């Protein structure tokens, strides 16, 4: 595992004139949109001809797009895999065609000789950081938690759930009373939170909502306010991504904590592809990006100002 401690300015070189296919999941969240923007901008900066395919959240569209890239004979392929299974066949076809594949921001369950590397955060760690924050914040008071899960079957949903549960295990005063997917979107996050509120005494019995991404947390904040409760105090709000709008909510006292996920996965991905295409260099199978906890104590307004221009 290679840990990226800081964005070292590397020479944008090595892929000049190359054609790279990018199978992106869709635009379900602000974070996803930022990843797309940064991946496209970075391609321009490096003289890469990036072929972009938006899968509208469907794996079959991703598989079709990858097959198209293989048929075009691209030099490399980026995939942000919407779910973690069902990739073996199409990746074997890419391998057969000698086209290196780099996974962005999500892991898959497949033999790791089917892809060059995966550039992702440690999603179990993200869930643990979120859980640890809540454990500290509530102390020994009873706390009924509701959970908004990411896309069913995606590695972040599986791992962030796992990490959070590990963090609260052994703290009997905390329990996850309800857990359901909000598919990483604001709309669905709001809808599911409304149902949790209805089921939990108008929300009065809910102590915290843990959302696998900030967009679902923003949706939940809407639902909490519409139920006449105060997000950030009546119901704590903890999530993951670090998109600008969660810092706006924090500055208003309506969100409590987020675990930052960098949307710049493309830089390390392009570097790995450049080295491989140049001389067959094999990178580590996992290039891990950093995670950082932000709370209301971290001047959220200032953080919002720095983030809002970064492609979100
Ligand atoms: C996590 C990434 C998730 C983000 C969401 O690495 O796959 O997908 O947390 C996005 O915002 O929808």
């Amino acid at each position: 595992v290679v840990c990226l401690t800081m964005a070292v300015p590397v020479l944008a070189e090595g892929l000049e004139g190359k054609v790279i296919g990018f199978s992106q999941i869709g635009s379900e969240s602000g974070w996803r949109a930022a990843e797309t923007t940064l991946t496209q901008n970075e391609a321009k900066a490096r003289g890469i001809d990036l072929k972009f395919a938006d899968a509208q959240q469907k794996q079959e569209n991703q598989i079709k797009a990858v097959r198209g890239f293989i048929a075009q004979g691209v030099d490399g392929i980026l995939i942000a895999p919407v779910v973690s299974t069902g990739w073996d066949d199409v990746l074997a076809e890419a391998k057969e065609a000698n086209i290196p594949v780099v996974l962005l921001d999500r892991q898959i369950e497949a033999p790791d000789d089917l892809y060059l590397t995966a550039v992702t955060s440690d999603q179990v760690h993200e869930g643990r950081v979120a859980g640890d924050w809540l454990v500290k914040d509530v102390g020994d008071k009873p706390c009924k938690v509701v959970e908004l899960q990411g896309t069913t079957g995606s590695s972040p949903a599986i791992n962030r759930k796992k990490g959070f549960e590990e963090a609260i295990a052994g703290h009997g005063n905390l329990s996850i009373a309800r857990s359901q997917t909000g598919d990483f979107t604001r709309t669905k996050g709001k809808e599911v939170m409304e149902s949790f509120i209805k089921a939990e005494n108008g929300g009065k019995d809910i102590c915290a909502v843990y959302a696998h991404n900030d967009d679902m947390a923003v949706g939940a904040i809407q639902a909490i306010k519409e139920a006449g409760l105060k997000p950030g105090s009546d119901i704590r709000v903890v999530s993951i991504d670090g998109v600008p709008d969660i810092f706006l909510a924090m500055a208003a006292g309506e969100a409590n904590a987020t675990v930052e996920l960098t949307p710049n996965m493309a830089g390390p991905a392009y570097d790995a592809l450049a080295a491989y295409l140049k001389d067959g260099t094999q990178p580590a199978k996992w290039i891990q990006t950093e995670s950082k906890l932000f709370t209301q104590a971290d001047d959220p307004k200032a953080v919002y100002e720095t983030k809002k221009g970064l492609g979100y």
Side-chain angles (χ1 to χ4, degrees):
V1 171
V2 172
C3 270
L4 297 164
T5 44
M6 54 181 281
V8 255
V10 284
L11 262 180
E13 56 153 10
L15 291 176
E16 198 73 30
K18 297 287 185 198
V19 182
I20 293 179
F22 176 23
S23 169
Q24 177 59 298
I25 293 173
S27 53
E28 73 281 0
S29 69
W31 186 91
R32 181 70 49 199
E35 183 188 61
T36 293
T37 305
L38 296 182
T39 302
Q40 291 171 330
N41 293 351
E42 189 67 22
K44 269 195 215 92
R46 294 177 185 230
I48 294 165
D49 175 3
L50 188 74
K51 307 288 184 197
F52 180 76
D54 178 325
Q56 319 272 324
Q57 317 297 325
K58 292 190 177 64
Q59 182 177 29
E60 68 261 27
N61 291 344
Q62 292 201 277
I63 291 171
K64 248 185 251 148
V66 173
R67 288 199 164 117
F69 297 145
I70 294 168
Q72 283 172 46
V74 299
D75 298 296
I77 294 172
L78 302 181
I79 306 175
V82 61
V83 291
S84 54
T85 55
W87 298 99
D88 296 40
D89 293 349
V90 73
L91 293 181
E93 292 162 32
K95 188 179 169 83
E96 191 55 32
N98 284 318
I99 300 175
V101 173
V102 172
L103 304 177
L104 290 188
D105 79 80
R106 294 187 185 179
Q107 304 274 11
I108 62 173
E109 287 161 38
D112 68 13
D113 67 325
L114 289 180
Y115 55 89
L116 185 63
T117 187
V119 182
T120 83
S121 58
D122 178 340
Q123 293 151 359
V124 175
H125 172 69
E126 292 167 335
R128 236 185 256 119
V129 169
D132 285 344
W133 175 84
L134 188 60
V135 164
K136 287 196 189 69
D137 194 64
V138 300
D140 52 13
K141 284 196 296 297
C143 184
K144 188 186 272 193
V145 183
V146 293
E147 180 182 27
L148 295 169
Q149 294 182 36
T151 301
T152 304
S154 68
S155 67
I158 294 162
N159 294 333
R160 289 172 179 173
K161 181 169 194 38
K162 179 169 184 286
F164 186 84
E165 286 170 349
E166 286 170 358
I168 69 169
H171 298 274
N173 58 313
L174 282 130
S175 65
I176 299 175
R178 295 175 190 279
S179 179
Q180 197 179 322
T181 184
D183 219 5
F184 284 130
T185 70
R186 292 188 182 201
T187 311
K188 198 97 174 23
K190 181 181 181 200
E191 251 171 57
V192 174
M193 189 64 190
E194 282 163 352
S195 69
F196 287 161
I197 286 168
K198 249 188 223 91
E200 292 291 344
N201 187 19
K204 292 183 195 61
D205 296 350
I206 300 173
C207 148
V209 52
Y210 166 50
H212 291 183
N213 81 332
D214 294 341
D215 282 64
M216 292 190 291
V218 168
I221 286 167
Q222 287 307 319
I224 295 167
K225 286 161 87 167
E226 286 171 12
L229 296 170
K230 287 200 216 66
S233 41
D234 295 335
I235 298 180
R236 292 162 176 82
V237 180
V238 51
S239 56
I240 300 168
D241 274 355
V243 300
D245 283 353
I246 203 67
F247 293 101
L248 268 191
M250 257 186 226
E254 296 178 347
N256 301 89
T258 186
V259 184
E260 183 186 48
L261 170 73
T262 174
N264 175 18
M265 305 287 188
Y270 291 145
D271 291 344
L273 277 171
Y276 176 75
L277 291 172
K278 184 157 162 258
D279 57 19
T281 303
Q282 282 293 340
K285 282 296 174 183
W286 180 27
I287 297 173
Q288 181 188 339
T289 60
E290 290 300 284
S291 312
K292 184 170 183 283
L293 177 70
F294 282 86
T295 68
Q296 290 178 7
D298 296 307
D299 194 355
K301 191 78 181 74
V303 177
Y304 170 76
E305 291 304 328
T306 57
K307 282 197 172 251
K308 68 179 184 195
L310 298 180
Y312 288 94

